[in-house]
Amino acid sequence: QQQVKQSPQSLIVQKGGISIINCAYENTAFDYFPWYQQFPGKGPALLIAIRPDVSEKKEGRFTISFNKSAKQFSLHIMDSQPGDSATYFCAARSNFGNEKLTFGTGTRLTIIP
Amino acid sequence: EADIYQTPRYLVIGTGKKITLECSQTMGHDKMYWYQQDPGMELHLIHYSYGVNSTEKGDLSSESTVSRIRTEHFPLTLESARPSHTSQYLCASKSNEYNEQFFGPGTRLTVL
């Protein structure tokens, strides 16, 4: 059972364009929603994160939009650059227990010149 | 850059061998995690620890075992490796005060 659904699986965006990756979840006990960026041969690194009491969070070119009623959240990368080419994972964390992260299936983003 | 280390980075071994994947962190984090990730795919939690002498199994069933004798060290052991164990293994840690999980660079294991 996939608790966090992520789309698209892959995405090609022209340099300077906007990259948008979407995630949806079912578990209302999730209370923290991070996005991780992973380059080949590296571990994931936290990019930006949001809590459900906020509808939007922006850090530089990266923005998370969060819709609590729809149980959806998305990552927007503005002015996408070739260096943004990586795999992006959304995740969600339950607010009790081991604080484990449940990951989406990942989106391979390629920024073309 | 997170202070969490994994060795070896790459390992190719034959079936039936016993292996230990090392993970250490210098941040004093109580919580540590092991995830399994097939290339380009999602991460699945296989083990976690709340602190010293605490270990629990994660969501994905795994034949591996872990130990937590010291705060900074969380090794993963496979008693008898099989080709089905071929994957990338990622270690992570987290403090009690903050939300972020820090990941190590991973160990890519290939069992022939």
Side-chain angles (χ1 to χ4, degrees):
Chain A
Q1 183 185 359
Q2 184 63 41
Q3 290 200 56
V4 179
K5 296 182 180 180
Q6 183 172 348
S7 63
Q9 189 172 10
S10 62
L11 180 62
I12 299 174
V13 174
Q14 202 139 25
K15 179 182 174 183
I18 302 173
S19 305
I20 301 174
I21 305 170
N22 300 298
C23 283
Y25 64 96
E26 292 295 327
N27 188 348
T28 55
F30 289 147
D31 72 337
Y32 170 72
F33 300 87
W35 284 90
Y36 280 83
Q37 180 187 56
Q38 186 177 29
F39 293 104
K42 304 282 188 182
L46 180 67
L47 189 62
I48 187 172
I50 197 168
R51 285 196 168 273
D53 53 348
V54 176
S55 62
E56 185 175 282
K57 183 174 181 181
K58 184 175 181 180
E59 289 183 1
R61 296 185 294 111
F62 302 93
T63 300
I64 300 179
S65 296
F66 189 86
N67 185 331
K68 188 174 181 178
S69 60
K71 291 188 280 188
Q72 295 175 347
F73 58 110
S74 59
L75 175 69
H76 292 61
I77 306 174
M78 312 299 287
D79 186 26
S80 299
Q81 298 297 313
D84 296 331
S85 297
T87 299
Y88 292 81
F89 292 92
C90 64
R93 186 196 69 185
S94 177
N95 60 2
F96 60 90
N98 59 26
E99 297 186 85
K100 73 180 183 76
L101 293 174
T102 300
F103 283 85
T105 50
T107 296
R108 179 170 288 183
L109 174 65
T110 304
I111 307 301
I112 56 174
Chain B
E1 185 115 352
D3 296 323
I4 180 164
Y5 309 98
Q6 291 186 244
T7 57
R9 292 294 314 280
Y10 303 92
L11 180 61
V12 181
I13 60 166
T15 298
K17 299 291 186 184
K18 177 180 178 179
I19 61 165
T20 296
L21 307 185
E22 301 289 348
C23 174
S24 60
Q25 50 94 7
T26 58
M27 297 173 282
H29 290 170
D30 285 322
K31 294 185 173 72
M32 295 190 74
Y33 307 84
W34 276 103
Y35 292 88
Q36 186 174 340
Q37 181 187 31
D38 290 329
M41 303 294 286
E42 68 199 282
L43 287 74
H44 294 283
L45 182 70
I46 51 174
H47 297 284
Y48 61 95
S49 168
Y50 288 116
V52 172
N53 294 325
S54 153
T55 62
E56 301 286 345
K57 289 194 176 293
D59 299 327
L60 184 67
S61 176
S62 173
E63 294 166 348
S64 59
T65 59
V66 291
S67 63
R68 189 88 183 275
I69 298 172
R70 302 198 316 264
T71 297
E72 62 271 22
H73 198 213
F74 191 38
L76 180 146
T77 298
L78 274 168
E79 289 293 333
S80 178
R82 294 206 301 270
S84 61
H85 296 138
T86 295
S87 190
Q88 172 157 262
Y89 293 84
L90 289 159
C91 181
S93 72
K94 177 191 173 299
S95 73
N96 289 326
E97 291 75 26
Y98 299 102
N99 291 318
E100 183 176 356
Q101 277 192 30
F102 293 91
F103 282 84
T107 294
R108 179 151 289 176
L109 173 65
T110 302
V111 184
L112 304 176

